[in-house]
Amino acid sequence: MSHTSPATYLVWSIISCILLAFLVFHMWSFDRFKCLRWNNGSSGAFKRVMTYSYLLSVPLIMTYALGFTVIKYQQGFIPFEGQIIPMPQAMWPESARRAAFPLMLAFTVGWSMEMITHLEELCFWLFLVNAGSVQQDWFRSWYFRTWILGSIVAVTYMPLLTILTRGDPLKCEAYTFLGGSLGSMSLTLWFTPILWAFPAFLSSLKSEGVDTATIVRLTKFHELNMIRIVFRFVFVVPFVILGADGVRVHSHINESMLWTDFLTMIAAFGCCISSALTLVIFFPRSVEGEIAPKTPRASVSDSALLVRRAAATPRLADKRPLQLPARGQHLRPADRARVQGGVGWVRSGKVDTEVDALPRMPIAPMRPNRRRGADVEMGGIEGRSQTSLGRQPSGKLNPMVHNFTSPIDLYGN
């Protein structure tokens, strides 16, 4: 990107700032930043690592973009062989050249953190699709060990590649882009078979009797992953082209401002959109769950209002017991007026008891056990989920499927 115009870095800066603003808004709406606390009771070491590694990559990339935007606009353009080109990095003043390497290193570290995130998703979805009921623990699987080993490699080779080639700024940039893009490209290509196999996996979930809510969540994540994979290709393919052209003796694409600007701007959109989708998948919001805690408080306040209104209603002079109608009959007009007033009298043994005639919630009907072929469908209360009261899973699926919420929210560890 040393050959690109200042407008290219400006595009990167604008999009990365929008990504950071979306991140802040989403995390606030998710749980008011509670998931970012180190001592959050529901977060274990694995979730902390995944949360902080992903969230660290966004400000690092934004710092890289903003820093080079300032430098590029300060240096401007120069005439060269009848053309107007951005000032080469070799002609920058000493202060700008000293700032270039830390900014490039920040971009490298942020990219390696993003590779940790993508590798975890790849290993997790492979585990979820292929693991049966015998292999129930993600943290003891080979997929988890592969993620640990790959993460160590990612956080090692990316910064090391930038440090070893820092003597030549152009080669440093070219090898950094080529090494990072090849690593991200391999992870993206490995993810495509999962997208191909996931519809069959969802069909197996339906046949196994998994509840509808879980299937809906997995279907939504599958659609988000398909969109995100497209934008990850948009992100890495331009950097593969620029990096491969930069390490060659005679560069052709990097010497054209049109192609360098076009490829880097396209990569900016792919990087930030895929990162935003990763945030939605890692921290999925549930609007129903966010609204549900407010509903009980509203119902209690409504009930209290009815009680106060009933207390303010004048009592009837007589204390005749409220005559409850027999089956199939209706309340008498006088008793109906007393019920609408909020106060009633019922006879309990020999004592008349005053009660508030508030409306009662209907009781859900009970469902008996039924035999369906070789299986027995368990009964229960109507309206409950099929997993808890319906047909039990046959044991061919991993139990984690039935409690799936997020690729990083695993058993709270």
Side-chain angles (χ1 to χ4, degrees), residues 73-394:
Y73 274 101
Q74 286 179 346
Q75 305 309 316
F77 296 84
I78 62 171
F80 178 76
E81 295 182 355
Q83 298 179 354
I84 301 297
I85 64 171
M87 181 179 292
Q89 191 167 347
M91 300 177 62
W92 289 358
E94 184 64 24
S95 59
R97 288 201 302 268
R98 285 199 306 265
F101 173 71
L103 291 174
M104 179 61 66
L105 189 61
F107 180 74
T108 302
V109 174
W111 200 344
S112 63
M113 295 297 174
E114 186 176 292
M115 291 174 65
I116 292 176
T117 302
H118 294 168
L119 180 60
E120 188 275 336
E121 289 179 287
L122 172 64
C123 295
F124 170 79
W125 290 111
L126 285 174
F127 167 79
L128 192 66
V129 171
N130 298 323
S133 60
V134 178
Q135 187 183 15
Q136 301 179 3
D137 193 355
W138 151 259
F139 297 101
R140 296 182 181 179
S141 64
W142 283 103
Y143 299 99
F144 179 72
R145 299 173 186 175
T146 302
W147 170 74
I148 293 178
L149 180 61
S151 300
I152 295 174
V153 173
V155 298
T156 302
Y157 95 91
M158 283 291 291
L160 190 62
L161 187 63
T162 304
I163 294 173
L164 294 178
T165 58
R166 68 183 184 275
D168 187 348
L170 296 180
K171 293 297 181 182
C172 176
E173 189 178 63
Y175 279 104
T176 298
F177 287 165
L178 183 60
S181 59
L182 288 178
S184 295
M185 175 68 78
S186 61
L187 295 177
T188 306
L189 290 175
W190 273 104
F191 209 99
T192 51
I194 300 177
L195 300 180
W196 181 266
F198 214 81
F201 175 67
L202 292 175
S203 300
S204 67
L205 296 184
K206 297 177 183 178
S207 63
E208 291 289 340
V210 177
D211 62 303
T212 305
T214 301
I215 296 178
V216 169
R217 285 197 301 268
L218 290 172
T219 303
K220 180 182 69 174
F221 290 145
H222 174 57
E223 294 177 354
L224 291 176
N225 278 326
M226 288 193 297
I227 301 173
R228 192 175 49 140
I229 287 301
V230 172
F231 283 100
R232 280 170 61 177
F233 277 116
V234 173
F235 167 49
V236 298
V237 170
F239 278 152
V240 170
I241 297 174
L242 293 174
D245 184 73
V247 299
R248 297 171 64 248
V249 178
H250 299 286
S251 300
H252 300 283
I253 298 178
N254 284 277
E255 293 178 355
S256 172
M257 189 188 307
L258 170 64
W259 287 109
T260 53
D261 286 2
F262 173 75
L263 292 175
T264 50
M265 288 182 183
I266 290 296
F269 283 97
C271 176
C272 295
I273 294 177
S274 62
S275 296
L277 293 175
T278 300
L279 177 66
V280 174
I281 293 174
F282 274 17
F283 301 96
R285 289 182 57 191
S286 174
V287 179
E288 180 182 359
E290 295 171 3
I291 298 177
K294 304 177 183 179
T295 304
R297 291 194 295 269
S299 60
V300 170
S301 62
D302 293 342
S303 300
L305 180 61
L306 291 175
V307 171
R308 289 194 298 269
R309 186 179 66 180
T313 303
R315 310 289 185 180
L316 296 179
D318 60 334
K319 293 187 176 181
R320 293 177 289 103
L322 181 65
Q323 300 295 328
L324 299 179
R327 183 182 300 274
Q329 298 180 358
H330 300 284
L331 283 172
R332 294 179 302 174
D335 294 334
R336 185 181 300 110
R338 297 172 67 186
V339 171
Q340 292 175 352
V343 178
W345 292 85
V346 295
R347 184 174 297 280
S348 175
K350 298 181 180 179
V351 182
D352 292 343
T353 305
E354 185 179 12
V355 297
D356 292 325
L358 297 177
R360 297 291 188 266
M361 295 297 294
I363 301 177
M366 300 293 294
R367 185 177 66 253
N369 298 343
R370 294 186 177 91
R371 180 178 295 278
R372 297 186 181 277
D375 298 331
V376 176
E377 181 179 357
M378 304 301 295
I381 302 175
E382 293 289 345
R384 298 294 295 275
S385 64
Q386 187 177 1
T387 302
S388 57
L389 297 176
R391 183 162 55 91
Q392 301 297 318
S394 62

Side-chain angles (χ1 to χ4, degrees), residues 15-28:
I15 299 178
S16 59
C17 289
I18 293 175
L19 174 61
L20 182 63
F22 174 73
L23 186 149
V24 173
F25 168 77
H26 186 84
M27 301 304 291
W28 171 258

Side-chain angles (χ1 to χ4, degrees), residues 18-94:
I18 293 175
L19 174 61
L20 182 63
F22 174 73
L23 186 149
V24 173
F25 168 77
H26 186 84
M27 301 304 291
W28 171 258
S29 303
F30 180 71
D31 62 354
R32 301 301 189 266
F33 303 125
K34 294 179 182 179
C35 60
L36 303 182
R37 301 174 183 174
W38 181 263
N39 58 349
N40 188 11
S42 61
S43 298
F46 171 74
K47 189 173 182 179
R48 290 193 190 101
V49 170
M50 292 307 305
T51 299
Y52 296 136
S53 62
Y54 169 75
L55 297 181
L56 183 63
S57 64
V58 176
L60 287 175
I61 294 176
M62 187 183 67
T63 301
Y64 164 81
L66 290 173
F68 271 101
T69 300
V70 174
I71 295 176
K72 279 284 188 174
Y73 274 101
Q74 286 179 346
Q75 305 309 316
F77 296 84
I78 62 171
F80 178 76
E81 295 182 355
Q83 298 179 354
I84 301 297
I85 64 171
M87 181 179 292
Q89 191 167 347
M91 300 177 62
W92 289 358
E94 184 64 24

